[in-house]
Amino acid sequence: MEREHYSRQFDTELNEIREKLLEMGGKVELMINDALKALVDRNSALAEKVIAFDHQINRLEMEIDERCLEVLARRQPAARDLRFITLAMKIVTDLERIGDQCRNIGKRSIELNELPPLKPYIDLPRMALHASIMVKEALNAFVAGDDQLALKVCRDDQFVDDLNEQIQRELLTFMMADPTAIARAMKINHVAKCVERIADHATNVAEMVIFMIKGKDIRHTAL
Amino acid sequence: MEREHYSRQFDTELNEIREKLLEMGGKVELMINDALKALVDRNSALAEKVIAFDHQINRLEMEIDERCLEVLARRQPAARDLRFITLAMKIVTDLERIGDQCRNIGKRSIELNELPPLKPYIDLPRMALHASIMVKEALNAFVAGDDQLALKVCRDDQFVDDLNEQIQRELLTFMMADPTAIARAMKINHVAKCVERIADHATNVAEMVIFMIKGKDIRHTAL
């Protein structure tokens, strides 16, 4: 009876970690959307808000990390639960670094807002939306232990990479045609690289989830 | 007596993790140096070697991860040792991603080698050397529990960022002066960004080490 009570409490603790992680993921998604909105709408106040919000993400990372350590120390879980908790600790690090990328986009947006617009943003918001969906799905794959969804995230990374290449090619033509466009194009290129990194973090999470579930390393096999 | 034996065995296991991590770090440093050598010497064969070597880094990551999980499950360590092992698991992820960046530099080098040289590389090798020292020192700070060394790594990141900015400014002047240089300059810019990311990974490791030792988050305080 007591054992059952103990195990139920443990389940509650694992669920708390799951929920906290999804909460952090939700905030990170919002941050991606706001960072891109600040860029597209040339809204420097929103960009400042994104930059300031990064503190909250860092706090959440530490909170979840501490919570995981506590549960590890007290419950001393084995096998699957141990893998789940240690992976959660790796995933919060990826989420925190996505927050860093959003902060970088915020900084570049403020700089870009001080210069005349180069062109309307079309592919960048699409790329960012796609990346934020990848983040959401990678986390869902983790909490649900869904390797098929994780595999989808890994495959989707190609689309983000393709969009990034398309953006780079387009920026190149702007730079070739007009030397005064080069500095701005380099900043936009930096933003595209930040979004690419966000998608990379989501892919990293998805790869680790697949490894947790299947015990199979997919990083160097064709999908 | 038996307890002492048990604890000595545990120390041996922790030392094994320490040594494996340093071994992986040494291989990653070599990879950084080779990636830059391939670029500077326009040696595509060496670049191919760097790209192929990334598999070994991935294997090492999995090995160390598995070893840490085993020790966690068997020894159920508390407090300091628990923090040490879970941090080791985070650090191998950073090392693995440094390997990914070296692979990216290798790919860009091969592309650049097919085009006429833009200019001699001066700041990029300095930047990469500095980044690889940061990786080495961050790992040393971790295994020795040396927060002062970790703090040095965090401070050194500024130098890499400054070099990166200098490189960007120089590339900008090349691009403004000659549109046919733009495509090559963009590739060199990408390599600089890869090196910057390597230094960021080293800084991330150093920050986590300081947090492990001092329980203090330095990520958003002035150093």
Side-chain angles (χ1 to χ4, degrees):
Chain A
M1 227 8 207
E2 203 167 275
R3 192 170 205 159
E4 199 182 295
H5 173 70
Y6 181 90
S7 125
R8 248 186 295 130
Q9 258 191 345
F10 183 33
D11 281 346
T12 308
E13 287 172 1
L14 289 181
N15 267 333
E16 269 172 28
I17 292 175
R18 256 184 213 102
E19 273 162 31
K20 265 275 188 244
L21 207 68
L22 288 179
E23 180 198 331
M24 186 177 175
K27 289 191 173 174
V28 162
E29 278 166 58
L30 204 69
M31 220 176 149
I32 302 171
N33 297 344
D34 279 351
L36 260 286
K37 200 169 153 50
L39 178 79
V40 173
D41 298 349
R42 298 175 70 81
N43 181 344
S44 292
L46 184 57
E48 293 284 5
K49 213 186 102 189
V50 169
I51 294 167
F53 194 76
D54 194 31
H55 289 273
Q56 282 198 43
I57 301 297
N58 291 319
R59 240 199 324 271
L60 268 173
E61 181 200 16
M62 284 188 286
E63 253 179 64
I64 297 173
D65 244 6
E66 285 305 309
R67 192 81 191 110
C68 287
L69 280 172
E70 248 176 71
V71 174
L72 277 179
R74 199 149 30 83
R75 301 292 181 181
Q76 307 182 329
R80 205 177 165 87
D81 293 333
L82 178 61
R83 271 178 204 272
F84 175 85
I85 297 172
T86 51
L87 186 47
M89 293 181 76
K90 288 192 187 228
I91 291 175
V92 287
T93 305
D94 277 293
L95 291 179
E96 187 269 325
R97 294 189 190 163
I98 294 175
D100 289 346
Q101 293 311 314
C102 293
R103 197 186 53 207
N104 288 340
I105 296 172
K107 287 182 190 167
R108 286 303 86 72
S109 301
I110 293 170
E111 291 166 10
L112 281 162
N113 289 351
E114 286 164 6
L115 304 164
L118 184 65
K119 64 171 280 299
Y121 297 108
I122 296 158
D123 286 332
L124 250 178
R126 274 178 73 200
M127 191 179 161
L129 177 67
H130 210 79
S132 87
I133 291 171
M134 283 171 70
V135 172
K136 190 197 193 86
E137 290 185 340
L139 285 182
N140 285 342
F142 174 62
V143 297
D146 182 343
D147 61 323
Q148 289 308 309
L149 185 57
L151 207 56
K152 175 184 177 294
V153 173
C154 297
R155 284 197 193 107
D156 283 353
D157 192 38
Q158 190 57 51
F159 180 69
V160 171
D161 287 346
D162 291 347
L163 270 179
N164 183 38
E165 222 167 90
Q166 189 169 308
I167 291 168
Q168 303 243 356
R169 261 198 307 271
E170 196 192 6
L171 289 174
L172 204 62
T173 60
F174 274 93
M175 292 192 275
M176 305 273 269
D178 175 12
T180 68
I182 293 177
R184 280 171 293 164
M186 293 279 279
K187 287 186 201 298
I188 297 171
N189 176 45
H190 187 189
V191 173
K193 284 248 181 304
C194 291
V195 177
E196 195 202 3
R197 273 174 84 167
I198 291 172
D200 281 348
H201 282 294
T203 307
N204 286 326
V205 169
E207 285 172 349
M208 293 191 290
V209 169
I210 293 169
F211 188 63
M212 174 186 79
I213 298 170
K214 314 261 276 189
K216 185 180 155 199
D217 184 38
I218 61 143
R219 277 166 306 196
H220 289 269
T221 52
L223 294 178
Chain B
M1 230 6 208
E2 203 168 272
R3 195 168 202 161
E4 199 182 299
H5 173 71
Y6 183 89
S7 128
R8 249 187 295 130
Q9 257 191 348
F10 183 33
D11 281 346
T12 309
E13 287 172 1
L14 288 181
N15 267 333
E16 270 173 26
I17 292 175
R18 259 185 210 98
E19 274 162 30
K20 266 275 188 243
L21 207 66
L22 288 179
E23 181 198 330
M24 186 177 176
K27 290 193 172 170
V28 163
E29 279 167 58
L30 204 70
M31 218 176 151
I32 301 171
N33 298 342
D34 279 351
L36 261 285
K37 203 172 151 47
L39 178 79
V40 173
D41 298 349
R42 297 176 69 80
N43 182 343
S44 293
L46 184 57
E48 293 282 6
K49 215 186 101 189
V50 169
I51 294 167
F53 193 75
D54 194 33
H55 289 273
Q56 281 197 44
I57 301 295
N58 290 321
R59 239 199 323 271
L60 267 173
E61 182 200 16
M62 283 187 286
E63 252 179 67
I64 296 173
D65 243 7
E66 284 306 309
R67 192 85 190 106
C68 288
L69 281 172
E70 246 177 72
V71 174
L72 277 180
R74 201 149 28 83
R75 302 289 180 181
Q76 306 182 328
R80 208 178 163 84
D81 293 333
L82 178 61
R83 271 177 204 273
F84 175 85
I85 297 173
T86 50
L87 186 47
M89 294 180 76
K90 288 195 186 224
I91 291 175
V92 289
T93 305
D94 277 292
L95 290 178
E96 187 268 325
R97 294 188 192 166
I98 293 175
D100 289 344
Q101 293 309 314
C102 293
R103 196 187 53 206
N104 287 341
I105 296 173
K107 285 184 192 166
R108 286 303 86 71
S109 302
I110 293 170
E111 290 166 9
L112 280 161
N113 290 351
E114 284 164 6
L115 304 164
L118 183 65
K119 64 173 277 302
Y121 297 107
I122 298 160
D123 286 330
L124 248 180
R126 276 177 73 202
M127 190 178 161
L129 178 65
H130 210 79
S132 88
I133 292 171
M134 283 172 69
V135 173
K136 189 198 195 81
E137 290 185 340
L139 285 183
N140 285 342
F142 174 62
V143 296
D146 183 343
D147 60 326
Q148 289 306 308
L149 187 57
L151 207 56
K152 177 184 175 295
V153 173
C154 296
R155 285 197 193 106
D156 284 354
D157 192 37
Q158 189 57 51
F159 181 69
V160 171
D161 286 347
D162 290 346
L163 271 178
N164 183 39
E165 222 166 272
Q166 190 169 307
I167 291 168
Q168 301 241 358
R169 262 196 306 271
E170 198 191 7
L171 290 174
L172 204 61
T173 61
F174 274 94
M175 290 192 276
M176 306 271 271
D178 175 13
T180 69
I182 292 177
R184 279 171 292 163
M186 293 280 280
K187 286 187 201 298
I188 297 171
N189 177 44
H190 187 189
V191 173
K193 282 248 182 303
C194 291
V195 177
E196 194 202 5
R197 274 176 81 166
I198 291 171
D200 281 350
H201 282 294
T203 307
N204 286 327
V205 170
E207 286 172 347
M208 293 191 290
V209 169
I210 293 170
F211 187 63
M212 175 185 77
I213 297 170
K214 314 262 273 187
K216 186 182 152 198
D217 184 38
I218 63 145
R219 274 166 307 195
H220 290 268
T221 53
L223 293 179

